[in-house]
Amino acid sequence: MNIVFTYSFYGLAAVSLMISFIKDKRKTLLSLKKAWKMFAGVLPQFVAILLLVGVALAVLSPETIKRMIGEETGFTGMLLTSFVGAITVVPVMIAFPIVAELLKNGAGIIQMAVFVSTLTTVGIITIPMEIKYLGKKIAILRNVLAFVFSFITAYLVGVLLR
């Protein structure tokens, strides 16, 4: 089922690319060049993170991962992953393969959901820049609310995916 779904999207992308190419060759080629530049820009980060995760998975056994951030860790595991997500600055598309590997190795769904949610919405590292542009009160309020809502979102994801 999953493989059919995946190949369906590849097929849809290929057909859409052909239609775009037929409609406007120049714009399509320009878009492909821009996409390649973006891919090349993200690739070093992606490889570095994958290597880091690979080393972590080699050092940490699935039992350790399960004990630290597995389903049975509950709120404690959610707090751990939320803090890691809040201080991590990586593109989301890099986070998804990491989350997939952690899930395969015993991490909990809710714990990974709060990780992705805080990763994308909470910016501990970027808060000085937010304060500069939004003001201290708004920047702190935005981050606190995003942190709280990350737990609500993770809980809902856990309920829906069980």
Side-chain angles (χ1 to χ4, degrees), residues 3 34 41 43 45 48 51 53 59 69 75 85 91 94 106 111 124 129 132 137-138 141 144 149 151 161:
I3 194 96
K34 284 184 179 183
L43 189 61
Q45 290 176 314
L51 286 172
V53 170
V59 173
I69 57 173
F75 191 73
I94 291 175
Q111 288 76 8
I124 300 299
M129 182 179 65
K132 180 179 176 184
K137 184 179 176 183
I138 298 295
L141 181 64
V144 167
F149 284 120
F151 283 85
L161 291 179

Side-chain angles (χ1 to χ4, degrees), residues 22 48 63 65 85 90 101 113 140:
I22 291 167
E63 294 80 27
I65 292 170
V90 295
E101 283 304 310
I140 291 172

Side-chain angles (χ1 to χ4, degrees), residues 64-133:
T64 305
I65 292 170
K66 194 172 186 176
R67 192 173 64 249
M68 291 174 67
I69 57 173
E71 287 289 335
E72 66 281 345
T73 62
F75 191 73
T76 306
M78 290 174 72
L79 271 177
L80 176 63
T81 56
S82 70
F83 289 131
V84 171
I87 62 168
T88 305
V89 181
V90 295
V92 176
M93 66 183 195
I94 291 175
F96 289 135
I98 294 167
V99 168
E101 283 304 310
L102 288 168
L103 284 169
K104 286 179 194 173
N105 283 278
I109 291 172
I110 294 174
Q111 288 76 8
M112 292 296 93
V114 80
F115 169 72
V116 171
S117 188
T118 55
L119 176 81
T120 57
T121 61
V122 180
I124 300 299
I125 303 297
T126 59
I127 203 160
M129 182 179 65
E130 284 188 55
I131 289 171
K132 180 179 176 184
Y133 289 103

